[in-house]
Amino acid sequence: MVDYLFKRFNLKFVINFAAESHVDRSILGSEIFYRTNVIGTTVLLEAARRYQAEKFVQISTDEVYGSLGPTGLFTEQTPLSPNSPYSSSKASADITALSFHHTFGLPVVVTRCSNNYGPLQFPEKLIPLMIINSIKGKKLPVYGDGLNVRDWIYVIDHNKAVELVFEKGNIGEVYNIGASREMKNIEIIKLILKKLGKSEELIEYVKDRPGHDRRYAIDSSKIKNELGWKPSFNFENAIGDTIDWYLQNRNWWERIISGEYQKYYYAQYSERFNQN
Ligand code: TYD
């Protein structure tokens, strides 16, 4: 199919966003992660090579760097040290793409972005899950002590960065992307509850995620200095817009959470809630 599409549409450019992306799902079953993220990327790289693509942007993740202590930031030089099946599959795709540049001269550029939030994010991820459960008055499952830190970026700021890397990014290079907005999980959850006027009694501390990375934080000075990118959305406003979007688009997420997703939710959370 990929070969047919390259030929039929004379494709010359690839931005590979396609991936299995949820750490918790990779813990329930890893195989699909390696199949989609590693083999899938390789299929695209091989096709791009056969049809002499002029640019291949591989969307990687800051999770390839592993976990940080209380201080420090991930730079593009930080050694890769992925800790979950998800992040090891993404790290594999990331370095495979770079190896295709090195060996075959394929014009590859890699981006490694921090945690995204915004409209249309699948309900499994922290922010939509907490918004949806709050709206429905359901318990909010906080893993461990709730003090894990993620560095949040609004999806449009991420997309603008990808567009810039696609247009101007130097071949063979890696660009970190992040908006320098570190937050503890529990801070975000309390903020969501406050904005929705719901009680903190909905919060429930549950069994931690195995191998849970403690902290991610991105140094994005390279993309800022070399390509002139900077984030333009402020966290407080953008999280407010995101919550409004979920309030106004209930049909979209109700349809998702009433289908196949229920099985995932049960597999992921039923035991966690019962243990407390
Ligand atoms: P997630 O959205 O899965 O992204 P990441 O790939 O960074 O793990 O989770 C973000 C953080 O929120 C992470 O520290 C795990 C935590 N978390 C919970 O506490 N409860 C939940 O139900 C989920 C989905 C995540």
Side-chain angles (χ1 to χ4, degrees), residues 21-24 61-63 86 115-116 121 123-130 133 140-144 146-150 152 185-186 189 206 208-209 212-214 216 264-265 268-269 272:
S21 67
H22 196 46
V23 174
D24 292 326
T61 165
D62 63 347
E63 295 194 31
Y86 160 67
N115 285 62
N116 281 222
Q121 189 170 30
E124 66 197 4
K125 300 291 193 294
L126 176 76
I127 289 181
L129 187 137
M130 296 301 164
N133 282 18
L140 309 185
V142 182
Y143 298 165
L147 300 179
N148 299 65
V149 172
R150 298 291 183 264
W152 295 93
N185 294 338
I186 193 66
I189 292 163
V206 298
D208 208 354
R209 170 188 283 172
H212 196 175
D213 285 338
R214 193 63 174 168
Y216 303 146
Y264 163 73
Y265 198 85
Q268 192 60 248
Y269 293 103
R272 279 203 157 101

Side-chain angles (χ1 to χ4, degrees), residues 9-276:
F9 297 102
N10 191 26
L11 300 182
K12 291 291 172 204
F13 302 98
V14 179
I15 305 179
N16 181 23
F17 285 94
E20 286 289 336
S21 67
H22 196 46
V23 174
D24 292 326
R25 282 188 196 260
S26 81
I27 296 167
L28 288 177
S30 66
E31 192 185 332
I32 186 70
F33 280 74
Y34 296 106
R35 235 194 286 189
T36 302
N37 299 353
V38 185
I39 308 294
T41 300
T42 312
V43 167
L44 289 171
L45 288 164
E46 284 290 4
R49 189 160 82 89
R50 269 196 307 283
Y51 292 97
Q52 284 147 22
E54 288 161 33
K55 200 140 190 184
F56 190 112
V57 180
Q58 172 65 13
I59 309 299
S60 188
T61 165
D62 63 347
E63 295 194 31
V64 299
Y65 297 121
S67 184
L68 288 165
T71 57
L73 300 172
F74 297 133
T75 73
E76 289 82 357
Q77 275 72 49
T78 303
L80 304 195
S81 184
N83 288 320
S84 70
Y86 160 67
S87 54
S88 66
S89 70
K90 289 293 288 183
S92 180
D94 174 321
I95 57 179
T96 302
L98 290 170
S99 78
F100 269 60
H101 167 64
H102 190 83
T103 302
F104 304 116
L106 190 72
V108 168
V109 191
V110 172
T111 64
R112 297 179 186 148
C113 187
S114 62
N115 285 62
N116 281 222
Y117 66 98
L120 288 159
Q121 189 170 30
F122 200 75
E124 66 197 4
K125 300 291 193 294
L126 176 76
I127 289 181
L129 187 137
M130 296 301 164
I131 296 172
I132 289 170
N133 282 18
S134 302
I135 293 173
K136 292 181 86 81
K138 286 173 67 178
K139 289 280 180 198
L140 309 185
V142 182
Y143 298 165
D145 59 9
L147 300 179
N148 299 65
V149 172
R150 298 291 183 264
D151 191 350
W152 295 93
I153 183 171
Y154 192 56
V155 61
I156 295 176
D157 276 330
H158 180 195
N159 286 340
K160 295 260 183 223
V162 170
E163 191 177 26
L164 200 61
V165 168
F166 174 65
E167 281 164 5
K168 298 199 189 128
N170 293 315
I171 303 301
E173 294 287 320
V174 175
Y175 293 92
N176 281 354
I177 304 168
S180 304
R181 193 61 163 88
E182 288 182 54
M183 299 275 288
K184 296 185 184 83
N185 294 338
I186 193 66
E187 290 173 338
I188 297 201
I189 292 163
K190 288 187 175 169
L191 189 140
I192 290 170
L193 284 168
K194 194 160 169 225
K195 289 209 185 257
L196 286 167
K198 299 284 177 146
S199 161
E200 289 188 8
E201 281 172 22
L202 289 177
I203 292 172
E204 187 158 329
Y205 289 88
V206 298
K207 190 166 161 258
D208 208 354
R209 170 188 283 172
H212 196 175
D213 285 338
R214 193 63 174 168
R215 176 171 166 262
Y216 303 146
I218 276 272
D219 177 345
S220 49
S221 39
K222 180 173 172 182
I223 190 170
K224 286 179 176 151
N225 297 338
E226 287 186 17
L227 305 184
W229 175 82
K230 62 175 175 19
S232 52
F233 287 85
N234 149 290
F235 182 82
E236 275 66 27
N237 294 339
I239 193 84
D241 290 350
T242 303
I243 294 170
D244 287 343
W245 188 89
Y246 281 88
L247 282 168
Q248 285 155 18
N249 291 274
R250 208 172 162 134
N251 285 347
W252 179 83
W253 54 262
E254 285 280 14
R255 199 160 32 83
I256 295 171
I257 65 170
S258 62
E260 189 69 15
Y261 182 79
Q262 271 183 354
K263 281 191 205 147
Y264 163 73
Y265 198 85
Y266 185 80
Q268 192 60 248
Y269 293 103
S270 61
E271 222 180 277
R272 279 203 157 101
F273 279 124
N274 289 338
Q275 282 183 353
N276 280 269

